[in-house]
Amino acid sequence: MSKLILFDIDGTLVLTGRAGVRAMTRALVDVFGINDGFADISLAGRTDRYLLGLALEQNQVVLNARELDRFRERYVRYLVEEVPKRGEGRKGVMPGITALLDTLEQRDDVFLGLLTGNFAEAARIKLEYFDLWRYFRCGAYGDDAHDRNDLVPVALARARECGNGGSFDRIFIVGDTPHDIACAAAGNAMSIAVATGGFDVSTLRAAGADVVFQDLSDTQAFVKFLEGKAPFDSAR
């Protein structure tokens, strides 16, 4: 294996119609008695731990390990209920994702992983609902770090374990926010940005992405970039 490709989930692989926000909001009420605690918080690109900490800080509540566990348990329980609902806004697998993952998993020089702010169990629930969990053997999650920028070494170590100790010549992070791009830079990885979430092409380009796609429906363009054959910005 020479290429490690780490995918974000929300806005990159799928959208859940804000099921995660609804589940987190319900859990926050249960555990801390805080209503609408995420209403004024920008969620995109952050870890679940970071978002919880910010909501509590705004309400002058100090988090401890026991409460974090209780919140996570309630959150994933509610997420199971919320994901199947029609939801708000867009919901579904993003354009081209299934075809892209089918192609990449067939390559001997590619290892697929996740790098997401979701708690690990939340990641599984979301991706299993859309039949995408089967593509990923391991990853780094919101359980592993407060700051998304600390997740690349975690993902790399787990990929080496899952890949029988293989080394990776290059690491690519695929995401839909400037935070994904910053995470790639912090982890010495290449950033592949996609404008299927809440940020448009120009914003992602200005954030310093190595390549920007409008969506990931052009599998061959994505593969060419991996192979170093298309060092240009593909979002035209």
Side-chain angles (χ1 to χ4, degrees):
M1 302 291 183
S2 60
K3 299 177 182 67
L4 174 60
I5 308 177
L6 301 169
F7 282 85
D8 170 56
I9 294 179
D10 298 290
T12 300
L13 294 175
V14 302
L15 283 172
T16 65
R18 294 180 62 81
V21 180
R22 295 193 303 274
M24 290 181 76
T25 298
R26 291 174 64 185
L28 199 65
V29 173
D30 280 5
V31 179
F32 300 101
I34 299 172
N35 293 300
D36 294 323
F38 300 101
D40 299 321
I41 295 175
S42 176
L43 306 178
R46 299 295 192 180
T47 69
D48 286 348
R49 283 179 61 184
Y50 177 91
L51 295 172
L52 174 60
L54 192 57
L56 295 180
E57 181 181 342
Q58 290 184 354
N59 287 274
Q60 299 181 329
V61 176
V62 178
L63 179 66
N64 60 47
R66 180 182 177 186
E67 289 170 336
L68 174 61
D69 289 342
R70 287 181 60 212
F71 175 84
R72 181 165 40 210
E73 184 273 328
R74 294 294 179 92
Y75 167 51
V76 298
R77 182 198 306 176
Y78 290 140
L79 187 61
V80 172
E81 299 175 6
E82 295 291 345
V83 167
K85 295 179 181 178
R86 182 175 180 179
E88 311 159 25
R90 293 182 294 161
K91 180 178 180 180
V93 179
M94 296 296 92
I97 288 298
T98 301
L100 176 61
L101 295 178
D102 282 340
T103 296
L104 293 177
E105 74 166 353
Q106 298 300 317
R107 293 179 63 105
D108 293 334
D109 63 338
V110 164
F111 188 96
L112 297 178
L114 294 168
L115 192 153
T116 172
N118 283 274
F119 292 132
E121 185 66 7
R124 181 190 65 78
I125 291 166
K126 290 179 180 181
L127 293 184
E128 279 189 346
Y129 179 81
F130 293 104
D131 193 31
L132 297 181
W133 183 248
R134 57 192 171 92
Y135 291 102
F136 303 100
R137 293 166 57 189
C138 57
Y141 307 95
D143 312 74
D144 296 313
H146 182 270
D147 188 336
R148 190 184 196 97
N149 287 359
D150 295 329
L151 290 177
V152 174
V154 177
L156 178 58
R158 288 191 178 142
R160 284 171 174 162
E161 293 172 3
C162 293
N164 299 316
S167 60
F168 300 99
D169 297 329
R170 304 189 79 179
I171 303 172
F172 300 86
I173 293 179
V174 187
D176 67 298
T177 77
H179 295 298
D180 297 291
I181 297 166
C183 177
N188 295 314
M190 300 286 287
S191 55
I192 300 176
V194 56
T196 47
F199 296 89
D200 61 19
V201 167
S202 61
T203 301
L204 296 171
R205 187 181 291 126
D210 291 297
V211 67
V212 182
F213 292 95
Q214 184 65 51
D215 60 41
L216 296 180
S217 57
D218 190 340
T219 297
Q220 291 309 308
F222 188 100
V223 170
K224 285 181 179 179
F225 180 74
L226 294 183
E227 296 174 344
K229 298 177 182 177
F232 49 84
D233 192 322
S234 295
R236 301 180 183 179

